[in-house]
Amino acid sequence: MTVRYAHLVSDYRFGSFLRILFRWKGSVYKMVWQDMLVYVLLYYAISLVYRFALTEEERRVFEKVSIHVSHFRNLIPISFVLGFYVSVIVTRWWGMYTSMPWPDTAAILLATHIQGEGSRARLARVTVARYVNMGIVMTFTMVAPAVKAKFPGYQELLEAGFLTENEKEILELLDRKSMQHKTYLPFLWACRVVDQARREGLIKDALAQKAVTDEILRLRGCCGELLGWDDYNIPLVYTQVVTIAVYTFFLFSVLGEQFLDPAQKYPNNIIDLYVPIFSLLQFFFYIGWLKVAESLINPFGEDDHDFEFASLVSRHLEMTYLLADAQEPEIPLLVKNKAWYSAPSEETEERIEPPTRSAFLLADQFSPHREVV
């Protein structure tokens, strides 16, 4: 799940970012070490064959092949295709996050516009909150394996309190009529309950009803966006092109980046090293870049960088009931506080000067008495 590290770099100090470079969970090292191991083994296998298994004539042929591969390998525009691909993936990932439904506003509107401690008012608030959570959970079960494992069917939703027996029967009946998903249905039920509350006088006016209904429909739109992100992916052809380009580039690098005999005085082969430092760094950066895209292309799973849908289910349920069904002792009294009797002054409270605007910092340049050079 999501790896949090922002608290470690909340204040910049020398070496503060070094602390996050050595973390393993969610790190680039964890993502690339297997690919790096394969690359190193291939590189040294070919290097050992070149140095110890080939005859002198065969070594000359190998050197020509290595130089040829090194030259034409750079024709692959790896930086361009990979950079644009990662940019598209990160934009898509952020769009997925902004599509996440958060029912807090709906719960606040319920508590604001359906007031009262009577059984009908409380039942209306709690039922709408339950329907909203039911719609969100049903959406999560369609995109997040962790939530699907927890609620594989209607029976589990019934046992968890999201469904009643009658609602379960309705959903099963509709499943026999249509194979389309039923995530829209709880939001329809919620709007019907709000309309019933308006007709019973629990909601004061039509504007209040509209505010609550619009927020419920907004949440339904968020759920629809999540399903859309799951249905429509980055075109497979683009993902294939980028992946093939990156791995082909480094497959050629195994040959093209070999250190050749300096005695032959080939261009750019003036020294002979046993460790290809810069080739390994290049592999680390490009493959790490590709792995970033691979980990963010579908954040609905259970990887280190995926969204925590399972915990969101519990959080949304608890928060909506806490807000929508707030009891009288949980609402503060309307009393006169310290600010009612006296405004802050220099004697009673330390004052913080506001920031100076940029135009005032350049005030001397606009002075009418400034000498013109």
Side-chain angles (χ1 to χ4, degrees):
M1 291 302 174
T2 305
V3 177
R4 294 175 173 81
Y5 64 91
H7 62 287
L8 299 175
V9 293
S10 57
D11 297 317
Y12 175 76
R13 295 184 300 273
F14 178 77
S16 59
F17 277 80
L18 291 177
R19 291 182 293 175
I20 66 175
L21 294 181
F22 299 100
R23 294 168 65 97
W24 176 256
K25 186 178 181 181
S27 68
V28 65
Y29 320 115
K30 182 179 179 181
M31 299 171 67
V32 307
W33 75 268
Q34 293 171 314
D35 298 85
M36 178 73 79
L37 179 61
V38 173
Y39 179 80
V40 170
L41 291 176
L42 286 176
Y43 181 91
Y44 279 108
I46 295 175
S47 179
L48 291 174
V49 169
Y50 164 66
R51 295 173 186 274
F52 304 108
L54 299 182
T55 64
E56 194 68 23
E57 182 179 352
E58 291 171 338
R59 292 180 67 186
R60 300 293 84 82
V61 174
F62 177 88
E63 291 161 359
K64 292 178 182 180
V65 173
S66 177
I67 294 172
H68 179 81
V69 170
S70 178
H71 173 74
F72 286 98
R73 178 204 59 164
N74 294 323
L75 297 179
I76 302 176
I78 184 173
S79 297
F80 172 76
V81 296
L82 185 56
F84 185 73
Y85 181 68
V86 173
S87 176
V88 171
I89 292 296
V90 171
T91 302
R92 169 186 166 86
W93 175 84
W94 184 248
M96 291 179 178
Y97 174 77
T98 56
S99 299
M100 299 277 285
W102 297 83
D104 303 40
T105 302
I108 293 173
L109 290 174
L110 287 172
T112 302
H113 296 302
I114 308 180
Q115 299 183 9
E117 294 298 319
S119 58
R120 290 297 297 174
R122 287 196 63 195
L123 182 61
R125 291 196 301 269
V126 171
T127 302
V128 173
R130 180 171 63 83
Y131 284 154
V132 167
N133 278 282
M134 186 200 310
I136 293 174
V137 171
M138 290 175 65
T139 302
F140 285 177
T141 59
M142 299 185 67
V143 300
V147 183
K148 182 63 176 178
K150 188 175 182 180
F151 304 106
Y154 295 139
Q155 183 60 35
E156 287 73 20
L157 290 173
L158 174 65
E159 295 172 356
F162 289 103
L163 280 174
T164 64
E165 189 64 43
N166 175 247
E167 294 160 357
K168 176 175 173 289
E169 293 174 359
I170 294 174
L171 289 172
E172 291 173 342
L173 173 64
L174 291 176
D175 280 342
R176 291 192 290 270
K177 291 184 177 181
S178 173
M179 297 181 61
Q180 299 295 328
H181 66 82
K182 309 302 184 297
T183 57
Y184 65 89
L185 204 57
F187 297 103
L188 169 63
W189 293 343
C191 290
R192 294 290 297 271
V193 172
V194 172
D195 182 68
Q196 179 67 26
R198 172 76 177 95
R199 286 187 276 109
E200 292 181 4
L202 301 176
I203 298 179
K204 301 298 183 183
D205 52 53
L207 288 178
Q209 178 187 359
K210 183 178 184 302
V212 178
T213 303
D214 286 349
E215 182 60 23
I216 294 173
L217 294 178
R218 188 192 67 82
L219 291 174
R220 195 221 65 80
C222 290
C223 292
E225 288 182 16
L226 279 183
L227 295 177
W229 287 117
D230 184 65
D231 289 337
Y232 301 100
N233 302 312
I234 299 294
L236 178 61
V237 61
Y238 192 21
T239 300
Q240 290 175 334
V241 166
V242 174
T243 304
I244 293 173
V246 172
Y247 282 104
T248 301
F249 180 88
F250 286 107
L251 183 61
F252 289 152
S253 295
V254 173
L255 281 174
E257 293 295 325
Q258 291 289 335
F259 288 103
L260 305 179
D261 186 1
Q264 303 302 315
K265 297 183 180 180
Y266 295 117
N268 302 322
N269 284 276
I270 58 177
I271 59 174
D272 186 10
L273 297 178
Y274 291 100
V275 180
I277 298 175
F278 294 104
S279 297
L280 293 178
L281 286 176
Q282 188 182 49
F283 183 91
F284 181 81
F285 294 141
Y286 280 135
I287 292 297
W289 212 0
L290 179 64
K291 293 298 181 181
V292 168
E294 291 177 356
S295 64
L296 298 184
I297 194 170
N298 184 7
F300 297 151
E302 299 182 73
D303 296 331
D304 290 340
H305 306 280
D306 290 340
F307 301 144
E308 299 182 8
F309 284 99
S311 63
L312 277 179
V313 170
S314 301
R315 182 263 171 206
H316 287 348
L317 186 65
E318 181 178 350
M319 185 58 66
T320 49
Y321 286 149
L322 185 66
L323 293 174
D325 196 34
Q327 302 301 309
E328 196 63 33
E330 299 169 358
I331 306 299
L333 299 176
L334 190 63
V335 298
K336 298 177 181 179
N337 66 344
K338 178 181 177 181
W340 174 267
Y341 299 101
S342 61
S345 62
E346 295 183 0
E347 293 78 13
T348 59
E349 185 174 336
E350 181 182 357
R351 302 185 65 182
I352 301 176
E353 293 295 330
T356 304
R357 304 301 178 185
S358 57
F360 290 95
L361 295 174
L362 301 173
D364 292 341
Q365 297 185 19
F366 304 102
S367 174
H369 304 294
R370 184 172 64 88
E371 295 183 3
V372 178
V373 180

Coordinates of all heavy atoms in Angstrom, one line a residue, residues 96-143:
M96 N -6.9 9.5 -11.5 CA -7.6 8.4 -10.7 C -7.8 8.8 -9.3 O -8.8 8.6 -8.7 CB -6.8 7.1 -10.8 CG -6.7 6.4 -12.1 SD -5.7 5.0 -12.1 CE -5.9 4.4 -13.7
Y97 N -6.8 9.5 -8.7 CA -6.9 9.9 -7.3 C -8.0 11.0 -7.2 O -8.7 10.9 -6.2 CB -5.5 10.5 -6.8 CG -5.6 11.0 -5.5 CD1 -5.7 10.2 -4.3 CD2 -5.7 12.4 -5.3 CE1 -5.8 10.7 -3.1 CE2 -5.8 12.9 -4.0 CZ -5.9 12.1 -2.9 OH -6.0 12.6 -1.6
T98 N -8.0 12.0 -8.1 CA -9.0 13.0 -8.0 C -10.4 12.5 -8.2 O -11.4 13.2 -7.9 CB -8.7 14.2 -8.9 OG1 -8.6 13.6 -10.3 CG2 -7.4 14.8 -8.6
S99 N -10.5 11.3 -8.8 CA -11.8 10.7 -9.0 C -12.3 9.9 -7.8 O -13.5 9.4 -7.8 CB -11.8 9.8 -10.2 OG -11.5 10.5 -11.4
M100 N -11.5 9.8 -6.8 CA -11.9 9.0 -5.6 C -13.1 9.7 -4.9 O -13.1 10.9 -4.7 CB -10.8 8.9 -4.6 CG -9.6 8.2 -5.2 SD -9.7 6.4 -5.1 CE -9.4 6.1 -3.4
P101 N -14.2 8.9 -4.6 CA -15.3 9.5 -3.9 C -15.1 9.7 -2.4 O -14.7 8.8 -1.8 CB -16.5 8.5 -4.2 CG -15.7 7.2 -4.4 CD -14.4 7.5 -5.0
W102 N -15.4 10.9 -2.0 CA -15.3 11.2 -0.5 C -16.6 11.7 -0.1 O -17.1 12.8 -0.4 CB -14.2 12.3 -0.3 CG -12.8 11.8 -0.7 CD1 -12.3 11.8 -1.9 CD2 -11.8 11.2 0.2 NE1 -11.0 11.3 -1.9 CE2 -10.7 10.9 -0.6 CE3 -11.8 11.0 1.6 CZ2 -9.5 10.4 -0.1 CZ3 -10.6 10.4 2.1 CH2 -9.5 10.1 1.3
P103 N -17.3 10.9 0.8 CA -18.7 11.3 1.1 C -18.9 12.2 2.3 O -20.0 12.4 2.7 CB -19.3 9.9 1.5 CG -18.1 9.2 2.1 CD -16.9 9.6 1.3
D104 N -17.8 12.9 2.7 CA -17.9 13.8 3.9 C -18.9 14.9 3.6 O -19.7 15.3 4.5 CB -16.5 14.3 4.2 CG -15.5 13.2 4.5 OD1 -15.5 12.2 3.8 OD2 -14.7 13.4 5.4
T105 N -18.8 15.6 2.4 CA -19.7 16.7 2.2 C -21.1 16.3 2.2 O -22.0 17.0 2.7 CB -19.3 17.3 0.8 OG1 -17.9 17.7 0.8 CG2 -20.2 18.5 0.5
A106 N -21.4 15.1 1.6 CA -22.8 14.6 1.6 C -23.3 14.4 3.0 O -24.5 14.8 3.3 CB -22.9 13.3 0.8
A107 N -22.5 13.9 3.9 CA -22.9 13.7 5.3 C -23.1 15.0 6.0 O -24.1 15.1 6.8 CB -21.8 12.9 6.0
I108 N -22.3 16.0 5.7 CA -22.5 17.3 6.3 C -23.8 18.0 5.9 O -24.5 18.5 6.7 CB -21.3 18.2 6.0 CG1 -20.0 17.7 6.7 CG2 -21.5 19.7 6.5 CD1 -18.7 18.4 6.3
L109 N -24.1 17.8 4.6 CA -25.3 18.4 4.1 C -26.5 17.7 4.6 O -27.6 18.3 4.9 CB -25.3 18.3 2.5 CG -24.4 19.2 1.8 CD1 -24.4 18.9 0.3 CD2 -24.7 20.7 2.0
L110 N -26.4 16.3 4.9 CA -27.5 15.6 5.5 C -27.8 16.1 6.9 O -28.9 16.3 7.3 CB -27.2 14.1 5.5 CG -27.2 13.3 4.2 CD1 -26.7 11.9 4.4 CD2 -28.7 13.3 3.7
A111 N -26.7 16.3 7.7 CA -26.8 16.8 9.0 C -27.3 18.2 9.1 O -28.0 18.6 10.0 CB -25.5 16.7 9.8
T112 N -27.1 19.0 8.0 CA -27.5 20.4 8.0 C -28.9 20.5 7.6 O -29.7 21.3 8.2 CB -26.6 21.2 7.1 OG1 -25.2 21.1 7.5 CG2 -27.0 22.7 7.0
H113 N -29.4 19.8 6.6 CA -30.7 20.0 6.0 C -31.7 19.0 6.5 O -32.9 19.2 6.2 CB -30.6 20.0 4.5 CG -29.7 21.1 3.9 ND1 -30.0 22.4 4.2 CD2 -28.6 21.0 3.2 CE1 -29.1 23.2 3.5 NE2 -28.2 22.3 3.0
I114 N -31.3 17.9 7.1 CA -32.3 17.0 7.7 C -32.0 16.9 9.2 O -31.4 16.0 9.7 CB -32.2 15.6 7.1 CG1 -32.3 15.6 5.6 CG2 -33.4 14.7 7.6 CD1 -32.2 14.3 4.9
Q115 N -32.5 17.9 9.9 CA -32.2 18.1 11.3 C -33.3 17.4 12.1 O -34.4 17.1 11.6 CB -32.1 19.5 11.7 CG -30.9 20.3 11.0 CD -30.8 21.7 11.5 OE1 -31.4 22.1 12.4 NE2 -30.0 22.4 10.8
G116 N -33.0 17.2 13.4 CA -34.0 16.7 14.3 C -33.6 15.4 14.9 O -32.8 14.6 14.3
E117 N -34.0 15.1 16.1 CA -33.7 13.9 16.8 C -34.8 12.8 16.7 O -34.7 11.7 17.3 CB -33.5 14.2 18.3 CG -32.3 15.1 18.6 CD -31.0 14.4 18.2 OE1 -30.8 13.2 18.4 OE2 -30.1 15.1 17.6
G118 N -35.8 13.1 16.0 CA -36.9 12.2 15.8 C -36.5 11.0 15.0 O -35.5 11.0 14.3
S119 N -37.2 9.9 15.1 CA -36.8 8.6 14.5 C -36.9 8.8 13.0 O -36.0 8.2 12.3 CB -37.8 7.5 14.9 OG -39.1 7.8 14.6
R120 N -37.8 9.5 12.4 CA -37.9 9.6 10.9 C -36.7 10.4 10.4 O -36.1 10.1 9.4 CB -39.2 10.3 10.5 CG -40.4 9.5 10.7 CD -40.4 8.3 9.9 NE -40.4 8.6 8.5 CZ -40.3 7.7 7.5 NH1 -40.2 6.4 7.8 NH2 -40.4 8.0 6.2
A121 N -36.3 11.5 11.1 CA -35.2 12.3 10.6 C -33.9 11.5 10.7 O -33.1 11.5 9.8 CB -35.1 13.6 11.4
R122 N -33.7 10.8 11.8 CA -32.5 10.0 12.0 C -32.4 8.9 11.0 O -31.4 8.6 10.4 CB -32.4 9.5 13.4 CG -32.1 10.5 14.5 CD -31.6 9.8 15.7 NE -30.4 9.0 15.5 CZ -29.9 8.1 16.4 NH1 -30.6 7.8 17.4 NH2 -28.8 7.4 16.1
L123 N -33.6 8.3 10.8 CA -33.6 7.1 9.8 C -33.3 7.6 8.4 O -32.6 7.0 7.7 CB -35.0 6.5 9.8 CG -35.2 5.3 8.9 CD1 -34.3 4.2 9.3 CD2 -36.7 4.8 8.9
A124 N -33.8 8.8 8.0 CA -33.5 9.4 6.7 C -32.0 9.6 6.6 O -31.4 9.3 5.5 CB -34.3 10.6 6.5
R125 N -31.4 10.3 7.6 CA -30.0 10.6 7.5 C -29.1 9.3 7.4 O -28.2 9.2 6.5 CB -29.6 11.4 8.7 CG -30.1 12.8 8.8 CD -29.4 13.7 9.8 NE -29.4 13.1 11.1 CZ -30.3 13.4 12.0 NH1 -31.3 14.3 11.7 NH2 -30.3 12.9 13.2
V126 N -29.4 8.4 8.3 CA -28.6 7.2 8.4 C -28.8 6.3 7.1 O -27.8 5.8 6.6 CB -28.9 6.4 9.6 CG1 -28.3 5.0 9.6 CG2 -28.5 7.1 10.9
T127 N -30.0 6.3 6.6 CA -30.2 5.5 5.4 C -29.5 6.1 4.2 O -28.9 5.3 3.4 CB -31.8 5.4 5.1 OG1 -32.4 4.8 6.3 CG2 -32.0 4.5 3.9
V128 N -29.6 7.4 4.0 CA -28.9 8.0 2.9 C -27.4 7.8 3.0 O -26.7 7.5 2.0 CB -29.2 9.5 2.8 CG1 -28.4 10.2 1.7 CG2 -30.7 9.7 2.5
A129 N -26.9 7.9 4.2 CA -25.4 7.7 4.4 C -25.1 6.3 4.1 O -24.0 6.0 3.5 CB -25.1 8.1 5.8
R130 N -25.9 5.3 4.5 CA -25.6 3.9 4.2 C -25.7 3.7 2.7 O -24.8 2.9 2.1 CB -26.7 3.0 4.9 CG -26.5 1.6 4.7 CD -27.3 0.8 5.6 NE -28.7 1.0 5.4 CZ -29.5 0.4 4.4 NH1 -28.9 -0.5 3.6 NH2 -30.7 0.6 4.3
Y131 N -26.7 4.2 2.0 CA -26.7 4.0 0.5 C -25.5 4.6 -0.2 O -25.0 4.0 -1.1 CB -28.0 4.7 0.0 CG -29.3 3.9 0.3 CD1 -30.5 4.5 0.4 CD2 -29.2 2.5 0.5 CE1 -31.7 3.8 0.6 CE2 -30.4 1.8 0.7 CZ -31.6 2.4 0.8 OH -32.7 1.7 1.1
V132 N -25.1 5.8 0.3 CA -23.9 6.4 -0.4 C -22.7 5.5 -0.2 O -21.9 5.2 -1.1 CB -23.7 7.8 0.2 CG1 -22.3 8.3 -0.2 CG2 -24.7 8.7 -0.3
N133 N -22.5 5.0 1.0 CA -21.4 4.0 1.3 C -21.6 2.7 0.5 O -20.6 2.2 0.0 CB -21.3 3.8 2.8 CG -20.6 4.8 3.5 OD1 -19.4 4.9 3.5 ND2 -21.3 5.7 4.2
M134 N -22.8 2.3 0.4 CA -23.0 1.0 -0.4 C -22.6 1.2 -1.8 O -21.9 0.4 -2.4 CB -24.5 0.6 -0.3 CG -24.8 -0.7 -0.9 SD -26.5 -0.9 -1.4 CE -27.3 -0.4 0.2
G135 N -23.0 2.3 -2.4 CA -22.6 2.6 -3.8 C -21.1 2.7 -4.0 O -20.5 2.2 -5.0
I136 N -20.4 3.3 -3.0 CA -18.9 3.4 -3.1 C -18.3 2.1 -3.0 O -17.4 1.7 -3.7 CB -18.4 4.4 -2.0 CG1 -18.9 5.8 -2.3 CG2 -16.9 4.4 -1.9 CD1 -18.6 6.8 -1.2
V137 N -18.8 1.2 -2.0 CA -18.2 -0.1 -1.8 C -18.4 -1.0 -3.0 O -17.5 -1.7 -3.4 CB -18.8 -0.7 -0.5 CG1 -18.3 -2.2 -0.4 CG2 -18.3 0.1 0.7
M138 N -19.6 -0.9 -3.6 CA -19.9 -1.7 -4.7 C -19.0 -1.3 -5.9 O -18.6 -2.2 -6.7 CB -21.4 -1.6 -5.1 CG -22.3 -2.3 -4.2 SD -24.1 -2.0 -4.6 CE -24.2 -2.9 -6.1
T139 N -18.7 0.0 -6.0 CA -17.7 0.4 -7.0 C -16.3 -0.1 -6.8 O -15.6 -0.6 -7.7 CB -17.7 2.0 -7.1 OG1 -19.0 2.4 -7.4 CG2 -16.8 2.4 -8.2
F140 N -15.9 0.0 -5.5 CA -14.6 -0.5 -5.1 C -14.4 -2.0 -5.4 O -13.3 -2.4 -5.8 CB -14.3 -0.2 -3.7 CG -14.0 1.3 -3.4 CD1 -13.8 1.7 -2.1 CD2 -13.9 2.2 -4.4 CE1 -13.5 3.0 -1.8 CE2 -13.7 3.6 -4.1 CZ -13.5 4.0 -2.8
T141 N -15.5 -2.7 -5.2 CA -15.4 -4.2 -5.4 C -15.1 -4.5 -6.9 O -14.7 -5.6 -7.2 CB -16.6 -4.9 -4.9 OG1 -17.8 -4.4 -5.6 CG2 -16.8 -4.8 -3.4
M142 N -15.5 -3.6 -7.8 CA -15.3 -3.8 -9.2 C -13.9 -3.4 -9.7 O -13.5 -3.8 -10.8 CB -16.4 -3.0 -10.0 CG -17.8 -3.4 -9.6 SD -19.0 -2.6 -10.7 CE -18.6 -3.3 -12.3
V143 N -13.2 -2.6 -8.9 CA -11.9 -2.2 -9.4 C -10.7 -2.6 -8.5 O -9.6 -2.6 -8.9 CB -11.8 -0.6 -9.6 CG1 -12.9 -0.2 -10.6 CG2 -12.0 0.1 -8.2

